[in-house]
Amino acid sequence: MTTAPDPAAPLVFDTAELGRSSGTTMHVALEVPAPAGLGLAGYEVPESAPLDLDFHLTAVSEGVLADGTVAAVAEGECARCLAPVEDALNVQVQELYAYEGSVTDATTEADEILRLSGDLLDLEPAVRDALVLAMPVTPLCRPDCPGLCADCGVPWDELPDDHVHETVDPRWAGLEKLRLADTDGESK
């Protein structure tokens, strides 16, 4: 059993003015604060950051169709070099919210379709799904980011072109000691 949405929540809209007359439309264009946890680990829309909504809520025979766009700015860090990343996201959202007691409500499982709670329509689940699906799994500061040096951890962009680390294969370490001893003129 789901709880009724909070009518004061920024992504909850009262659709009472639509009635149940198919074709009646209500336009919603506003900026609301982003809810918490809107993103992936290390890449998200910060809580209370602005979400720009532009939606048409249209009464249809089985419920209310929410159709529109959401724009937000996601922040995180580059998966290769750990530099800060900021991307503007603009996603399309189209979701049917079934009326309580409608045929669609009666013939679908609870997790298959969103539902109205009385006249209240909660856009948060649809907005969350659309934004998270639009986010890259591996955010990058730029497509050709070279990342970090595996040995010293410094970003490759900050290192000289001839940057290298001498490493000796442990299987050859004994021979390396002999080579070093020979170049020093010593015998070990």
Side-chain angles (χ1 to χ4, degrees):
M1 171 144 187
T2 60
T3 59
D6 176 6
L11 291 169
V12 174
F13 299 95
D14 188 350
T15 62
E17 74 178 63
L18 292 176
R20 290 203 176 194
S21 301
S22 292
T24 308
T25 299
M26 180 170 94
H27 184 240
V28 175
L30 68 147
E31 184 180 283
V32 298
L38 191 56
L40 308 167
Y43 189 76
E44 66 181 357
V45 176
E47 183 175 1
S48 299
L51 292 179
D52 291 318
L53 306 176
D54 188 6
F55 275 85
H56 289 283
L57 305 178
T58 306
V60 295
S61 61
E62 296 300 319
V64 175
L65 179 66
D67 184 22
T69 60
V70 179
V73 175
E75 299 174 355
E77 59 185 31
C78 177
R80 291 183 187 158
C81 70
L82 307 178
V85 175
E86 186 175 284
D87 292 317
L89 301 173
N90 194 349
V91 296
Q92 181 71 32
V93 178
Q94 187 174 48
E95 200 69 51
L96 174 66
Y97 289 78
Y99 291 129
E100 293 174 334
S102 71
V103 173
T104 302
D105 184 44
T107 59
T108 58
E109 296 294 322
D111 60 349
E112 288 181 310
I113 192 167
L114 296 171
R115 288 148 171 47
L116 290 167
S117 179
D119 289 325
L120 297 179
L121 181 146
D122 187 1
L123 272 177
E124 185 176 335
V127 166
R128 180 179 306 280
D129 289 350
L131 283 172
V132 170
L133 287 173
M135 292 178 178
V137 175
T138 309
L140 300 174
C141 59
R142 64 179 203 268
D144 63 340
C145 175
L148 303 172
C149 173
D151 292 319
C152 63
V154 175
W156 279 107
D157 286 340
E158 297 174 12
L159 295 170
D161 291 339
D162 61 347
H163 176 77
V164 294
H165 293 273
E166 287 293 326
T167 58
V168 177
D169 186 328
R171 297 172 292 182
W172 298 99
L175 290 175
E176 181 66 14
K177 286 181 187 177
L178 290 174
R179 185 185 70 78
L180 291 174
D182 189 42
T183 58
D184 292 342
E186 300 174 8
S187 176
K188 290 189 179 183

